[in-house]
Amino acid sequence: MERTLAILKPDCVRKRKVGEVLRRIQEAGFRLRAMKMVTMSKTEAEGFYAVHEDKPFFDDLTDFMSSGPCVPIVLEKENAIADFRALIGATDPEEAENGTIRSDFADSIQENIVHGSDSPSNGEKEAAYFFPEHEIVANQ
Ligand code: ATP
Ligand code: MG
C-alpha cells in the first residue's frame, strides 16, 4: 500500500482546523498509520525542506514551519500520493480547485495548511523523518 507523509502545518493548528482537516482525510479513504504533534526546530524544518534550500522562499518557509506545533501524519491508501495531492489542491490556494483543503482553509501560498509528499519514495523518506518504523502501526 502506498504511503504519504502529511503535515498539518502550524497555521492549521493555530486556526484550530486539525479536526476538520483530519475528518476530510479520513472520509477520503486514507488510513492513519502514525500521528503526533511536534514543534520543529528551524534546523529540523530546514532538513525536511532541504530540496527547496536554493529557493527564495526557503528562509521564510522554514521560519513558518518552525513557528509552532504541527501534526505529521503517515497515511496509507492505494494511490496515496496522487489522491492526497488532489484532496489538498494546488500549492497556491488561489489556484486550488474549489472544495480542496487548501482552497477552503489556506491564506497564502506559504501558509497553505497542509503538506503532502510528492512521490512514493519521498513518502517513505519523509515518514522516516518523523517516525521510526516501530511507531508506524500495521494494517488494522
Ligand atoms: P508541500 O511540499 O508543502 O506539500 P507543495 O508540494 O504543493 O507543498 P512545494 O513546491 O513543494 O509545494 O513547496 C513547499 C512549500 O513551500 C509550499 O507548500 C509552501 O508552503 C511553500 N512555497 C512554495 N512556493 C512558494 C512561494 N512561491 N512563496 C512562498 N512559499 C512558497
Ligand atoms: Mg512539495
Side-chain angles (χ1 to χ4, degrees):
M1 193 68 77
E2 198 166 88
R3 263 182 200 173
T4 188
L5 187 275
I7 303 177
L8 310 188
K9 295 184 179 185
D11 56 331
C12 183
V13 175
R14 277 195 283 271
K15 293 166 105 172
R16 301 183 181 182
K17 294 298 180 194
V18 169
E20 171 64 15
V21 173
L22 264 181
R23 186 186 67 73
R24 290 192 185 199
I25 291 170
Q26 290 195 288
E27 285 189 355
F30 292 87
R31 308 301 300 269
L32 306 178
R33 295 284 178 242
M35 180 164 69
K36 64 183 169 187
M37 184 173 249
V38 61
T39 301
M40 281 196 270
S41 67
K42 175 85 169 165
T43 307
E44 285 165 338
E46 288 169 348
F48 183 76
Y49 276 120
V51 298
H52 294 306
E53 65 191 350
D54 296 330
K55 306 272 170 61
F57 56 79
F58 182 68
D59 191 47
D60 282 349
L61 171 63
T62 53
D63 275 348
F64 163 57
M65 290 301 292
S66 59
S67 68
C70 67
V71 180
I73 309 169
V74 178
L75 298 170
E76 268 182 16
K77 186 182 181 296
E78 271 175 36
N79 211 25
I81 300 289
D83 286 0
F84 192 73
R85 292 181 74 86
L87 180 69
I88 67 179
T91 310
D92 183 349
E94 304 267 294
E95 288 169 16
E97 262 184 64
N98 284 348
T100 59
I101 290 171
R102 283 169 167 166
S103 169
D104 287 348
F105 301 118
D107 287 334
S108 70
I109 192 168
Q110 177 174 280
E111 304 214 356
N112 62 0
I113 296 286
V114 63
H115 163 83
S117 306
D118 61 10
S119 69
S121 66
N122 281 337
E124 295 294 332
K125 273 187 223 152
E126 291 177 357
Y129 196 80
F130 289 100
F131 301 98
E133 193 60 36
H134 72 268
E135 288 183 10
I136 301 176
V137 304
N139 273 344
Q140 307 97 9

